[in-house]
């Protein structure tokens, strides 16, 4: 029988404090926040409430002054330089507002990027990561070989967003962090993209922390959190 450890967490935030400049008033003061393995959480909050800053702290892009952030059992604050970058690509998939694709590389090459930098992601992507990349792109509605091999910069915003999602998902990272990735899409495209993202996360078993100010998108998540209720700054 399969043993399910319902207590397993992929993210634990503990007594976190973060100010953009030392000595300034913190923009984040969070006592406790956690995500279970595979859980899909919608984090909402008005503009300027610290959502992007929190994701940057979880991703280890900014260093917090106080408190701890554990991702997959590792305290990211204790990691330095290259080790932090390696840990991020091993365990975290990122989808940001600006998709940060490499513009002159193809959609497929962009999706395969985490596998080039992370042995863990490569091994988890199966015997042939390229097949895994093509399957993800296909699931996300990008199957046309001409599109898959086209430079990322020649794709539409919606297509680039799908490429960014496939890149985050490949090699089943423990945690996907998505920061308002639907903001450039029209209403119908938003909903369908979000459905695809949630379904893919469920199928590969990655937890999802999806950040948005748009409450029309919060249905269908395991949990909805309002940052203004957890952020005491
Ligand atoms: P949200 O994503 O919820 O809109 P942010 O995390 O972007 O909010 O911003 C929270 C606060 O941090 C705001 O007061 C914002 O002005 C400030 N802030 C955001 N990014 C920076 C930055 N790079 N440098 C200094 N202050 C920043
Ligand atoms: Mg933001």
């Amino acid at each position: 029988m399969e043993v399910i450890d319902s207590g397993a967490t992929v993210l634990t935030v503990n007594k976190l404090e973060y100010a953009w400049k030392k000595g300034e008033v913190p923009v984040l003061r969070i006592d406790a926040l956690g995500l279970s393995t595979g859980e899909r959480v919608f984090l909402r909050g008005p503009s300027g409430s610290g959502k992007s800053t929190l994701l940057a702290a979880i991703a280890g892009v900014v260093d917090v002054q106080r408190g701890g952030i554990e991702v997959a059992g590792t305290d990211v604050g204790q990691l330095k330089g290259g080790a932090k970058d390696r840990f991020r690509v091993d365990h975290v998939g990122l989808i940001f507002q600006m998709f940060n694709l490499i513009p002159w590389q193809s959609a497929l090459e962009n999706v395969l990027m985490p596998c080039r930098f992370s042995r863990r992601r490569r091994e988890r992507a199966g015997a042939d990561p390229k097949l895994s990349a093509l399957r993800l792109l296909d699931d996300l509605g990008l199957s046309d070989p001409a599109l898959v091999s086209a430079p990322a910069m020649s794709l539409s915003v919606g297509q680039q967003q799908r490429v960014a999602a496939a890149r985050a998902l490949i090699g089943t990272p423990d945690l996907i962090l998505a920061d308002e990735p639907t903001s450039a899409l029209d209403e119908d495209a938003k909903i369908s993209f979000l459905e695809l993202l949630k379904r893919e996360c469920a199928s590969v078993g990655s937890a999802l922390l999806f950040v948005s100010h748009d409450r029309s998108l919060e249905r269908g998540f395991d949990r909805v959190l309002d940052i203004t209720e957890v952020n005491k700054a």
Side-chain angles (χ1 to χ4, degrees), residues 13-31 48-69 76-77 84 227 230-233:
V13 172
N14 184 32
K15 297 193 171 55
L16 168 81
E17 252 187 57
Y18 179 74
W20 278 102
K21 278 208 193 101
K22 219 176 148 204
E24 271 187 3
V25 187
V27 295
L28 292 177
R29 212 149 54 76
I30 299 177
D31 267 353
S49 58
K51 304 183 299 297
S52 295
T53 307
L54 175 60
L55 289 202
I58 295 168
V61 176
V62 300
D63 293 322
V64 301
Q65 286 94 2
R66 287 224 181 110
I69 298 174
V76 291
K84 186 183 276 190
I227 193 166
V230 288
N231 186 9
K232 307 296 181 197

Side-chain angles (χ1 to χ4, degrees), residues 40 135-136 139 172 197-206:
R40 293 163 300 168
R135 185 196 63 78
L136 278 166
D139 281 358
T172 64
L197 181 61
K198 279 189 292 198
R199 202 182 61 210
E200 284 299 329
C201 282
S203 101
V204 302
S206 300

Side-chain angles (χ1 to χ4, degrees), residues 61-141:
V61 176
V62 300
D63 293 322
V64 301
Q65 286 94 2
R66 287 224 181 110
I69 298 174
E70 263 189 26
V71 174
T74 295
D75 184 347
V76 291
Q78 298 300 312
L79 300 171
K80 301 278 170 260
K84 186 183 276 190
D85 294 339
R86 275 195 303 280
F87 181 81
R88 185 188 310 125
V89 65
D90 276 351
H91 295 277
V92 181
L94 301 172
I95 316 173
F96 284 165
Q97 255 163 323
M98 306 311 296
F99 311 121
N100 302 323
L101 300 177
I102 299 178
W104 57 88
Q105 293 211 341
S106 72
L108 178 63
E109 285 164 335
N110 270 281
V111 176
L112 284 167
M113 200 61 67
C115 297
R116 282 180 49 196
F117 289 108
S118 164
R119 185 170 160 192
R120 182 174 196 260
R121 296 279 289 273
R122 189 164 61 243
E123 287 175 357
R124 289 161 71 99
D128 185 352
K130 192 176 157 187
L131 287 180
S132 174
L134 291 170
R135 185 196 63 78
L136 278 166
L137 285 168
D138 185 40
D139 281 358
L140 289 160

